[in-house]
Amino acid sequence: MHLYRDKIFPMMMKKNIGKKSILELRKKILSDAKGEILEIGIGEGTNLTLYPEHVDQITAVDNYIRKIDSSNINVNLIFASADFLPFDDNSFDTVVSTFVLCSVENLRKVLAEIYRVLKPGGQFVFLEHGKAKDKLTSMIQNMFNPFYNIFAYGCNINRQYKYEMVQCGFQLLKFECEKADIYPRVLTGYVYTGKVNKPEKMEKFDE
Ligand SMILES: C[S@@+](CC[C@H](N)C(=O)[O-])C[C@H]1O[C@@H](n2cnc3c(N)ncnc32)[C@H](O)[C@@H]1O
């Protein structure tokens, strides 16, 4: 067993993104979850007790399966990478991601997969940390990203999600940035919460 990778790092992360203020943010985005739900990168299942009461079943994927406590919700847990989701097109009403997009290798591919598996009109709800809006902080984030990436197993602190989501075809419904209690705050304290959807119908253009 690798002490830092298997014990110390997960413990630090759990403390950081499992604290009360962050649980509140999780709850806020999860309140929109409905229908057939897919959670990507479920980890240890921190969100499971935070879904609205009407949710009693979800599908989840992770590319590193850990033990999850799923006593309140029935979880169909599948070992898979979010950039090759093993589901048909138009399968889900809601896709959920919390603190996953920062660490996927190919953000554009993962967003395209989320878009593909969502039903038309389906929604993608997320809570992610990303690039700060002010120039100085984002410069610091850019500078530290290569080091942070090694220390935190592929986590990027300077990702920009809005542009990528729009490029994939998502419609922005809610997109908020706020400062959160995630340490080191200057690097990882800028969190993005929101909801985007896959449009009901593609626009038709006359040739
Ligand atoms: C920081 S943890 C967050 C876990 C959980 N979503 C939460 O909010 O507590 C990131 C999770 O994403 C998973 N992950 C990273 N890249 C992935 C990928 N390409 N496909 C599926 N899961 C991935 C990791 O294994 C890990 O469980």
Side-chain angles (χ1 to χ4, degrees), residues 178-190:
E178 57 190 276
K179 275 204 102 178
D181 245 353
I182 302 178
Y183 295 99
R185 274 184 87 167
V186 67
L187 300 180
T188 53
Y190 296 84

Side-chain angles (χ1 to χ4, degrees), residues 91-146:
S91 297
F92 296 95
D93 300 286
T94 304
V95 175
V96 173
S97 168
T98 60
F99 303 110
V100 179
L101 297 183
C102 55
S103 57
V104 297
E105 249 174 68
N106 188 338
L107 176 60
R108 181 83 52 107
K109 178 80 172 66
V110 170
L111 289 173
E113 277 294 273
I114 293 170
Y115 188 93
R116 180 183 68 75
V117 300
L118 273 174
K119 295 176 187 171
Q123 52 174 356
F124 172 40
V125 296
F126 54 88
L127 162 61
E128 300 287 343
H129 67 82
K131 194 167 196 162
K133 287 193 167 156
D134 72 281
K135 270 206 171 136
L136 178 64
T137 313
S138 66
M139 264 169 55
I140 296 172
Q141 288 177 316
N142 285 343
M143 222 164 66
F144 277 94
N145 195 54

Side-chain angles (χ1 to χ4, degrees), residues 8-194:
I8 298 173
F9 178 67
M11 208 174 66
M12 285 185 334
M13 195 173 62
K14 200 171 173 181
K15 244 187 141 184
N16 222 356
I17 61 177
K19 59 173 72 130
K20 197 164 175 262
S21 58
I22 307 300
L23 295 181
E24 288 304 320
L25 289 176
R26 290 172 182 270
K27 223 171 170 174
K28 186 171 118 185
I29 64 130
L30 292 169
S31 67
D32 281 323
K34 57 178 186 228
E36 292 284 324
I37 299 169
L38 168 68
E39 181 169 336
I40 61 162
I42 189 170
E44 293 181 6
T46 308
N47 291 332
L48 290 173
T49 54
L50 306 170
Y51 277 94
E53 251 174 49
H54 64 83
V55 176
D56 54 10
Q57 147 89 39
I58 67 165
T59 300
V61 297
D62 203 299
N63 64 357
Y64 185 95
I65 298 286
R66 301 165 189 84
K67 196 172 166 290
I68 61 169
D69 175 18
S70 60
S71 50
N72 60 327
I73 291 183
N74 185 15
V75 182
N76 174 22
L77 180 59
I78 296 168
F79 175 69
S81 178
D83 46 12
F84 289 101
L85 291 172
F87 309 109
D88 291 339
D89 298 357
N90 311 325
S91 297
F92 296 95
D93 300 286
T94 304
V95 175
V96 173
S97 168
T98 60
F99 303 110
V100 179
L101 297 183
C102 55
S103 57
V104 297
E105 249 174 68
N106 188 338
L107 176 60
R108 181 83 52 107
K109 178 80 172 66
V110 170
L111 289 173
E113 277 294 273
I114 293 170
Y115 188 93
R116 180 183 68 75
V117 300
L118 273 174
K119 295 176 187 171
Q123 52 174 356
F124 172 40
V125 296
F126 54 88
L127 162 61
E128 300 287 343
H129 67 82
K131 194 167 196 162
K133 287 193 167 156
D134 72 281
K135 270 206 171 136
L136 178 64
T137 313
S138 66
M139 264 169 55
I140 296 172
Q141 288 177 316
N142 285 343
M143 222 164 66
F144 277 94
N145 195 54
F147 308 104
Y148 194 87
N149 200 281
I150 296 168
F151 161 80
Y153 296 102
C155 175
N156 294 280
I157 52 183
N158 59 352
R159 287 214 158 145
Q160 288 176 293
Y161 303 110
K162 195 191 256 182
Y163 175 77
E164 295 294 333
M165 287 177 187
V166 172
Q167 285 298 303
C168 279
F170 284 109
Q171 235 170 18
L172 300 177
L173 300 179
K174 258 190 244 167
F175 200 94
E176 289 164 10
C177 176
E178 57 190 276
K179 275 204 102 178
D181 245 353
I182 302 178
Y183 295 99
R185 274 184 87 167
V186 67
L187 300 180
T188 53
Y190 296 84
V191 300
Y192 291 84
T193 55

